[in-house]
């Protein structure tokens, strides 16, 4: 993901991209709601990706549903192409690379790579060890860009940033505000008190103690580590306009530490005799992604798994809030420089710069508004009654979730195609990124542990034992 | 075609070959071993979606209907 210099032609493209992402995302979401209201459950299975397989890749094209997986995949891609190709062409008019006839073959080729990534991820062994489509999409893109080089004719559809923002707007429909109420006060105390403290402390530590030169890298690592891994990294990277190499690095760190923590934490808790209620909350508040939290919690027991997943779910809701806060902060703090390293919205003499608020608004990534709007619509429908609830549920489960998967896959193919591995080396900042992650995660482990003991081990312990005997 | 370009193309071909052999031959054989089968059975039994282990943070979110049920 490239940074977007203020006042340049590229900035105008970035703004256009945000608006396109909102327009495309909301069009698909509202369209899915209408389709669900009209067609109901008959929509089921018509959208999807290549399925799982064990012996032959062809099995992934068949799938298990009533509609073959290849057909569901093509329907999804056709819908994305139908609304996306004109937008891709229209949102990058500057270098003429967006001409419609150039975008079509490029989009088809990028989609073919995304399709291959899903098939690779569907193999049962690969799937079991958690190497999902994002990894293979990135790897396929990297393999092409770092060997033969990304062909020029492919470049018009290499639009990682647009695909991510578009996918994030659709993700908003899956994050329901009502969950906060439903999932309970103890989880909120652990997730919502510790997470912002860790996020801010890690950011300050990276910028002022480790003196990492790119604040956007520090922010992406801090969000990735303190909120919920890859989704948070993607959302925050878009909000603070991090470079694509910085996002790749943050994701790499998260994956590596998640793999270790998922195994080590339950073993250590068993060895130390930590209560399973406290252990579950501790795991839920610290391990980056939900699936890994469920797996680590399960290693401690059924009750620990339920608590761990509940705490994690509450933390996941923070994605939107954090992305929103970061985007506002970034717009105010780094209004003019492309590296995110400039001074606040003040003139050289320290007085507020004229038109500061309009500058903040101009720099504000508008796609976040699309994310929040989708979340609000889905949450309102969920509250409105059984009809609204089944429409929202069906639209997400049958349509938008699959489209979002494809968009994230296309985004990571694009990021791979745009990334030079050598460019990752400066982002490592001489190993300081690693130090930042370790220090931040250590703080996260300590504070979450303390809060888990306080809330789950003392304040609500009896109530939880009654709730989950 | 200069040396560097041809080296890169050979590299790309080697990667494609490695992908074909790994996904076409090696992984299908691995998936038939007892160790892997037991592991897959365990995650199935526990209801863990392995696809969500590293990359997908909200895929295991309960659907809207469950949330509403909890709210009631």
């Amino acid at each position: 993901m490239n940074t977007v210099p203020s006042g340049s032609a590229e900035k105008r493209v970035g703004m256009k991209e945000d608006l396109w992402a909102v327009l495309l995302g909301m069009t698909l979401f509202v369209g899915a709601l209408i389709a669900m209201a009209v067609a109901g459950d008959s929509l089921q299975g018509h959208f999807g990706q290549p399925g799982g397989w064990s012996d032959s890749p062809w099995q992934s094209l068949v799938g298990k549903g009533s509609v073959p997986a290849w057909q569901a995949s093509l329907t999804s891609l056709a819908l994305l192409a139908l609304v996306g190709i004109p937008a891709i062409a229209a949102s990058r008019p500057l270098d003429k690379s967006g001409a419609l006839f150039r975008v079509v073959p490029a989009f088809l080729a990028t989609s073919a790579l995304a399709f291959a990534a899903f098939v690779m991820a569907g193999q049962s062994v690969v799937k079991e060890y958690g190497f999902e489509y994002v990894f293979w999409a990135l790897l396929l893109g990297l393999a092409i860009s770092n060997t033969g080089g990304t062909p020029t004719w492919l470049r018009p559809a290499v639009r990682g940033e647009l695909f991510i923002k578009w996918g994030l707007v659709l993700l908003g429909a899956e994050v329901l505000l009502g969950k906060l109420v439903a999932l309970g006060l103890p989880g909120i105390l652990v997730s919502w008190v510790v997470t912002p403290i860790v996020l801010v402390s890690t950011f300050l530590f990276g910028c002022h103690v480790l003196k990492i030169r790119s604040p956007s890298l520090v922010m992406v690592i801090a969000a990735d580590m303190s909120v919920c891994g890859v989704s948070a990294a993607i959302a925050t990277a878009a909000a603070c306009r991090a470079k694509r190499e910085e996002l790749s690095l943050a994701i790499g760190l998260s994956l590596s530490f998640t793999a270790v923590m998922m195994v080590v934490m339950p073993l250590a808790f068993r060895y130390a005799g930590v209560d399973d209620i406290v252990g579950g909350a501790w795991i839920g508040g610290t391990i980056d992604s939900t699936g890994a939290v469920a797996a680590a919690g399960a290693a401690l027991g059924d009750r620990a798994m339920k608590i761990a997943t509940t705490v994690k779910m509450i933390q996941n809701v923070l994605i939107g809030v954090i992305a929103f806060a970061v985007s506002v902060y970034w717009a105010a703090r780094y209004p003019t420089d492309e590296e995110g390293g400039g001074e606040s919205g003040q003139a050289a003499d320290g007085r507020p710069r004229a038109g500061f608020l309009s500058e903040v608004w101009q720099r504000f990534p508008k796609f976040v508004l699309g994310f929040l709007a989708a979340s609000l619509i889905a949450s309102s429908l969920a509250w409105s009654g059984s009809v609204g609830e089944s429409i929202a549920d069906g639209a997400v489960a049958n349509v938008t979730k699959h489209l979002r998967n494809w968009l994230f896959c296309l985004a990571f193919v694009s990021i791979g195609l745009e990334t030079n591995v050598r460019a990752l080396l400066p982002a490592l900042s001489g190993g300081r990124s690693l130090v930042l992650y370790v220090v931040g995660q250590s703080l996260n482990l300590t504070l979450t542990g303390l809060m888990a003991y306080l809330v789950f081990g003392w304040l609500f312990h009896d109530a939880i034992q009654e709730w989950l005997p | 075609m200069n040396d560097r370009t041809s080296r890169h193309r050979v590299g790309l071909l080697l990667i494609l070959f490695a992908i074909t052999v790994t996904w076409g031959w090696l992984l299908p054989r691995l998936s038939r071993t007892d160790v892997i089968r037991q592991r897959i059975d365990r995650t199935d039994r526990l209801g863990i979606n392995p696809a969500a282990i590293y990359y997908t943070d909200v895929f295991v979110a309960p659907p809207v209907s469950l949330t509403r049920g909890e709210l009631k």
Side-chain angles (χ1 to χ4, degrees), chain A residues 81-412:
Chain A
L82 190 70
V83 294
I85 287 177
I88 290 170
S91 65
R92 188 182 271 178
L94 300 168
D95 54 2
K96 309 286 185 197
S97 68
L100 201 60
F101 70 92
R102 287 181 182 160
V103 176
V104 174
F107 187 86
L108 289 176
T110 319
S111 300
L113 287 171
F115 196 98
F118 274 121
V119 174
M120 288 166 80
Q123 208 285 330
S124 58
V125 180
V126 173
K127 200 169 180 175
E128 185 56 31
Y129 284 90
F131 290 94
E132 254 296 312
Y133 70 92
V134 172
F135 181 79
W136 303 113
L138 191 62
L139 210 69
L140 283 176
L142 284 172
I144 293 171
S145 63
N146 289 274
T147 52
T150 304
T152 316
W153 61 268
L154 202 56
R155 291 188 185 275
V158 178
R159 301 293 297 275
E161 197 163 349
L162 176 66
F163 292 136
I164 279 182
K165 289 172 179 173
W166 184 3
L168 284 168
V169 172
L170 291 181
L171 178 69
E174 296 168 48
V175 179
L176 299 179
L177 305 174
K179 274 180 197 163
L180 279 185
V181 184
L183 295 177
L185 185 62
I188 290 173
L189 283 173
V190 170
S191 301
W192 283 51
V193 173
V194 175
T195 303
I197 295 174
V198 173
L199 179 81
V200 173
S201 309
T202 308
F203 180 67
L204 294 175
F205 181 79
C207 290
H208 299 294
V209 179
L210 292 177
K211 298 193 185 307
I212 294 174
R213 289 178 67 182
S214 167
S216 53
L217 171 65
V218 179
M219 181 52 82
V220 176
I221 292 176
D224 176 11
M225 177 271 299
S226 61
V227 189
C228 57
V230 178
S231 296
I234 293 172
T236 317
C240 70
R241 296 181 165 88
K243 292 176 181 172
R244 57 179 178 269
E245 293 84 8
E246 296 173 342
L247 175 60
S248 304
L249 178 70
I251 289 173
L253 284 170
S254 172
L255 302 186
S256 313
F257 278 88
T258 297
V260 175
M261 287 170 70
M262 187 176 71
V263 177
V264 171
M265 281 185 80
L267 283 177
F269 289 171
R270 275 186 188 282
Y271 182 76
V274 174
D275 179 65
D276 65 333
I277 293 178
V278 175
W282 205 340
I283 284 171
T286 45
I287 293 182
D288 287 346
S289 59
T290 313
V293 161
L300 265 189
D302 188 47
R303 187 163 64 171
M305 182 175 78
K306 284 179 183 161
I307 292 170
T309 315
T310 302
V311 170
K312 194 73 210 169
M313 285 309 306
I314 298 171
Q315 206 175 41
N316 285 343
V317 181
L318 275 178
I319 300 175
V321 181
I322 297 279
F324 184 81
V326 168
S327 56
V328 170
Y329 174 76
W330 230 256
R333 178 75 173 84
Y334 305 111
T336 54
D337 66 309
E338 68 179 85
E339 295 297 326
E343 290 306 313
S344 63
Q346 295 181 332
D349 58 3
R351 283 177 303 157
R353 186 179 286 130
F356 174 64
L357 282 179
S358 75
E359 177 71 17
V360 168
W361 169 245
Q362 211 177 8
R363 294 282 297 177
F364 180 77
K366 315 288 186 299
F367 81 92
V368 176
L369 298 178
F371 178 99
L372 292 173
S375 182
L376 273 173
I377 293 172
S379 303
S380 309
L381 280 169
W383 274 86
S384 67
S386 58
V387 176
E389 168 195 329
S390 66
I391 289 173
D393 192 11
V396 169
N398 295 328
V399 186
T400 60
K401 189 182 80 178
H402 301 294
L403 298 177
R404 176 177 62 77
N405 283 346
W406 278 108
L407 287 168
F408 279 2
C409 196
L410 286 166
F412 278 87

Side-chain angles (χ1 to χ4, degrees), chain A residues 53-55 120 123-132 135-136 140 143 147-148 171 176 178-179 181-183 228-231 255 258-259 262 288-292 295 298 305 313 316 382-383 385 389 393 404-405, chain B residues 4-5 8-9 11-12 15-16 19 23-24 27-32 35-37 39-44 46 48-72:
Chain A
W53 60 280
S54 209
D55 293 324
M120 288 166 80
Q123 208 285 330
S124 58
V125 180
V126 173
K127 200 169 180 175
E128 185 56 31
Y129 284 90
F131 290 94
E132 254 296 312
F135 181 79
W136 303 113
L140 283 176
T147 52
L171 178 69
L176 299 179
K179 274 180 197 163
V181 184
L183 295 177
C228 57
V230 178
S231 296
L255 302 186
T258 297
M262 187 176 71
D288 287 346
S289 59
T290 313
M305 182 175 78
M313 285 309 306
N316 285 343
W383 274 86
E389 168 195 329
D393 192 11
R404 176 177 62 77
N405 283 346
Chain B
R4 201 173 161 189
T5 312
H8 283 163
R9 291 208 172 150
L12 184 59
I15 289 171
L16 284 175
I19 288 174
W23 270 265
L27 290 170
R29 267 151 194 79
L30 254 180
S31 62
R32 286 181 216 131
V35 179
I36 299 291
R37 283 203 170 282
R39 204 187 138 99
I40 292 173
D41 287 345
R42 179 181 173 274
T43 42
D44 277 351
L46 290 169
I48 295 168
N49 174 9
I53 286 182
Y54 300 119
Y55 305 101
T56 47
D57 299 300
V58 290
F59 289 3
V60 291
V64 176
S65 53
L66 282 185
T67 305
R68 187 171 165 76
E70 284 165 11
L71 290 172
K72 283 172 182 167

